[in-house]
Amino acid sequence: MYRISELALKVGLSRSTLLYYEKLGLISSQRQANGYRTYSEHDLQQLKLLQQLQAGGLTLKECQACLETRIDRSLLLERFQALEQEIAQKQQSRDLLAAMLGKASMRGWHQALDSQAPGAHLAWLLKQGFNEKQALRLKWLSKDMNEHDHYMADFERIFDGLDRLGPGSAEDTLQALYALPTVPQSLLDIGCGRGLSTLLLAKHTQGLVTALDNDEYNLTCLKEAVAANALEDHVQLLCASMTEVPFEGSSFEAIWAEGSAYIMGFGNALKSWRRFIRPQGFLVVSDLIWLTDNPRSEASSFWQKNYPGMTTLENRVSSITSLGYRVVCSFPLSQHAWENYLGPLREKIAELSVQEFSSKALADIKDEIDIHERFLDDYGYQFFVLQKNSA
Ligand SMILES: C[S@@+](CC[C@H](N)C(=O)[O-])C[C@H]1O[C@@H](n2cnc3c(N)ncnc32)[C@H](O)[C@@H]1O
């Protein structure tokens, strides 16, 4: 027989807990002549059994049900499923903390946040000490704040010496230029990259093309090409962000943006650039769109992670119209334009081995090429030649 204090010691519970269990009928004491409660060996074993059931995650009420009658499998199954969920949530919390401490990849977290709350994601990155250029590249390229610098160094090494940072061709650019009713004399090329289109526009308009990019290296490449083509009087270079274009309103007859509007979000870009275009002026912009309502699942999940805002032609046209532009014409970028980008990139990466890169940059580019090679029927780049509405 055990006194309550002895029993409490044996099972590691407090007196008040034992009294509560007694009240629930889980154990029962006998009163001695001196008024002390005593408990039997059966009570001790009953408590041990209860503790084993509790260790399985059952609540006290559930334990009681198990003790009183045959185990209810559906109750156990319910508890089991709830526990599995709790474990998965805890595992997620653990992974996130590990990632934030630099012990694991933050990619999944950045991607999820970016598709659910892109604005808050960007603002949070700025608070973590990244400048806007870094934060935007983190969002689109490295997708991991712990790997960012390292990733970007690898990324730049891969693209070093290549003229194109995205698909494009002289024929497509000129088709868009000649779709304009008049040849613009003042043009702003936003996100000009290494400037193949800038040079073409300067040659074919004879006006002034301002080439804006926030990457010094790209502008240095373009500067050399401008000099080599004797176009200094027709091209002005500007290192600035597309999110804060440093010009007065109505400064340009046309804005050109090949493969760059997505960086600040297609809709945001159209909204914020509109004021720099003269009344009745033009915006020529290209963007990735879905060519089918039912893309294959591999392509769909790749772009959900890499460009969650990608949509159909119909949706793009309707947002363009609601943002104060008229579609003059729109056409898909040619196969040849894709080859201009993918061909040299394939050759470049064939010279490089994954072992030389400890970041994911090379693996990511290989994945992207693979997706283009297998699924380009499901999506593509679309050129939009737009006129600013007067309203
Ligand atoms: C995919 S490339 C397109 C380059 C070029 N328009 C073409 O079609 O080859 C995107 C370009 O946008 C530039 N860029 C990225 N973020 C930018 C920003 N916030 N402001 C200005 N340029 C930016 C990059 O440096 C890069 O040159």
Side-chain angles (χ1 to χ4, degrees), residues 46-62:
Q46 189 77 345
L47 286 170
K48 295 267 184 201
L49 178 55
L50 178 72
Q51 286 177 320
Q52 284 300 323
L53 292 169
Q54 281 178 317
L58 296 184
T59 64
L60 193 56
K61 209 167 153 213
E62 289 164 346

Side-chain angles (χ1 to χ4, degrees), residues 132-134 136-137 140-141 155 163-169 173 189-198 212-216 218-219 238-245 256-264 273 286 333 341 381 383:
E132 193 214 47
K133 177 180 174 186
Q134 292 167 323
L136 284 170
R137 278 164 168 75
W140 291 112
L141 300 169
F155 184 87
D163 288 339
R164 291 196 181 274
L165 306 173
S169 79
T173 300
D189 183 2
I190 297 185
C192 62
R194 295 173 189 174
L196 287 185
S197 299
T198 318
L212 181 153
D213 203 285
N214 69 351
D215 187 77
E216 289 283 2
N218 288 343
L219 291 173
L238 181 64
C239 190
S241 175
M242 64 172 73
T243 62
E244 282 176 40
V245 173
W256 207 268
E258 285 190 39
S260 61
Y262 75 92
I263 293 164
M264 59 185 284
W273 297 342
S286 67
L333 205 64
Y341 167 57
Y381 255 100
F383 248 107

